[in-house]
Amino acid sequence: MKKGADMKIAGKAACIFVLLTITKLTRITGNRMAAQAGHSAVMTCPHRTRATMVTWKISPKIGGPCTLGFRADQNLVNRTNCSDSVKSEFKPEQFYALEIQQVGMADEGNYSCELVNQEGNFHEMYQLTVLVPPRLSLYCENHSNPVCEAAAGRPAAEISWVPENNSTTEIDSHDNGTVTVLSRFTAHSTNRKTVTCKVYHATLNETMSTYCSSPQSDLILYITIALGFLIIITFMAVIYYFKLHGCRLCHKTKPPDTSLTHSLEDDTTEVEPYTTYVQKENTIYNSVSDLTGGQNLPCGLSTAK
Ligand SMILES: *[C@@H]1O[C@H](CO)[C@@H](O)[C@H](O)[C@H]1NC(C)=O
Ligand SMILES: *[C@@H]1O[C@H](CO)[C@@H](O)[C@H](O)[C@H]1NC(C)=O
Ligand SMILES: *[C@@H]1O[C@H](CO)[C@@H](O)[C@H](O)[C@H]1NC(C)=O
């Protein structure tokens, strides 16, 4: 019996200890909250019933603190130094929610709700950060180098490239808490390609592609094309020249040989009949001379005689 009672007491103590550590942890860490600029943000008080008093304490990063108090017994709301954009209807069914209608940079900071009821004091803490989506652009610097820009974002955007390559990043922090990130793609060897820039941000993920033609590579291309044309034209000119002059040369070099021989042959054939004719005549003459009692002498000689 005594042992069981001891166990019960030990269990209760452990429970209380666990509860205490949990409340302590929630108090220390709070809730991280992110709201996009221009949008609304809603924070609630601890979910406890029959609150007698509820107090919102706001500690902005810039400027002085403000408090919004509510007393249930008198149904009274008390505001000190809070801007009009911060509102609460202090309704139990809404957990005494605090609403910021249009979140601005000035609203960034710590928000805590303290709720008091018969059971004690309870706290809820929020750390509000304001997100600003960056303005994205992708353009060609000097008509050749791709530049990806995420302007005036909060927090700073992350930029990566496809194909993955060396890039230089410039980060510019502005007075209003926004950051401009500028990434230059620095692969000059592969710049005759479409490149893709990827922007990662809490408010958006964007992929953009562009194609930048570099004047250098264009020049090389034009020169290559021009050279190619020149080579083709020269080749064609040479072929044409050989076709035209090559035939004349053929007629002049080879045919002259044949024509010469031809003419020689012609000459001989022209001459031969004559000689044969002459010879024939001579033979006739010779036969005549034979008849006249002469010898078979060469015709020339006989005629010379
Ligand atoms: C908000 O709370 C955190 C943690 O409790 C603290 O580090 C930070 O300084 C507080 N900021 C403001 C503006 O009070
Ligand atoms: C709150 O506003 C009052 C004037 O309404 C001013 O006197 C006081 O200094 C302000 N308190 C803070 C903490 O800014
Ligand atoms: C962006 O992408 C990451 C993963 O790549 C994802 O975790 C995140 O939710 C996305 N955010 C938006 C706003 O789409």
Side-chain angles (χ1 to χ4, degrees), residues 105-132:
M105 211 64 87
D107 294 317
E108 201 165 272
N110 293 344
Y111 293 74
S112 71
C113 176
E114 190 185 324
L115 185 145
V116 182
N117 70 3
Q118 250 101 43
E119 294 161 51
N121 290 21
F122 303 92
H123 292 88
E124 193 73 70
M125 226 274 270
Y126 298 89
Q127 272 182 271
L128 182 73
T129 52
V130 178
L131 307 174
V132 181

Side-chain angles (χ1 to χ4, degrees), residues 91-109:
K91 285 191 172 164
E93 63 270 24
Q94 290 172 5
F95 305 108
Y96 309 100
L98 183 84
E99 189 191 359
I100 309 167
Q101 277 171 333
Q102 277 200 316
V103 174
M105 211 64 87
D107 294 317
E108 201 165 272

